[in-house]
Amino acid sequence: MALVTFIPRVVPLMVLSRMKLSESIQNWLHFVPIAILAALVGQELFIYENKVNITLNQEILAAIVSVLVAIKTRSLLWTVIAGVLAFVLARWLFSL
């Protein structure tokens, strides 16, 4: 299993490391991690039981707090701390 997981990750890296990619492709590849992270986070926040859920819930409240703290502080540590505290507080408030 490790080999099956390792090969698809290493082979493209080995091939692409020897190639000179154009500037437009490099610019496009720059946005791939951001797009993947946005898709993962968006799916966790807005999809519930295979349906789009846009109601205000504890996850969305924590995400809003995290984004605001990230914009204000530009610190990963404070963003994570604020997000976890907001989630714990929201979960406590929603359980009342």
Side-chain angles (χ1 to χ4, degrees), residues 26-42:
Q26 288 180 6
N27 287 338
W28 181 79
L29 287 173
H30 176 74
F31 292 104
V32 170
I34 297 167
I36 291 171
L37 183 61
L40 291 172
V41 170

Side-chain angles (χ1 to χ4, degrees), residues 41 45 57-69 83 86-87:
V41 170
L45 289 177
N57 56 31
Q58 55 203 16
E59 289 89 1
I60 292 177
L61 284 173
I64 291 170
V65 170
S66 297
V67 167
L68 293 174
V69 170
F87 183 76

Side-chain angles (χ1 to χ4, degrees), residues 5-69:
T5 303
F6 182 72
I7 288 175
R9 293 179 184 185
V10 171
V11 170
L13 185 63
M14 289 172 41
V15 171
L16 290 175
S17 68
R18 295 192 176 114
M19 295 174 61
K20 176 66 178 157
L21 299 175
S22 70
E23 190 70 30
S24 60
I25 292 176
Q26 288 180 6
N27 287 338
W28 181 79
L29 287 173
H30 176 74
F31 292 104
V32 170
I34 297 167
I36 291 171
L37 183 61
L40 291 172
V41 170
Q43 182 178 358
E44 283 296 316
L45 289 177
F46 301 115
I47 307 262
Y48 181 70
E49 294 179 354
N50 294 327
K51 295 180 184 167
V52 177
N53 180 18
I54 307 180
T55 60
L56 189 62
N57 56 31
Q58 55 203 16
E59 289 89 1
I60 292 177
L61 284 173
I64 291 170
V65 170
S66 297
V67 167
L68 293 174
V69 170

Side-chain angles (χ1 to χ4, degrees), residues 79-94:
T79 301
V80 171
I81 290 171
V84 169
L85 289 176
F87 183 76
V88 168
L89 182 62
R91 181 168 264 196
W92 178 71
L93 289 174
F94 275 75

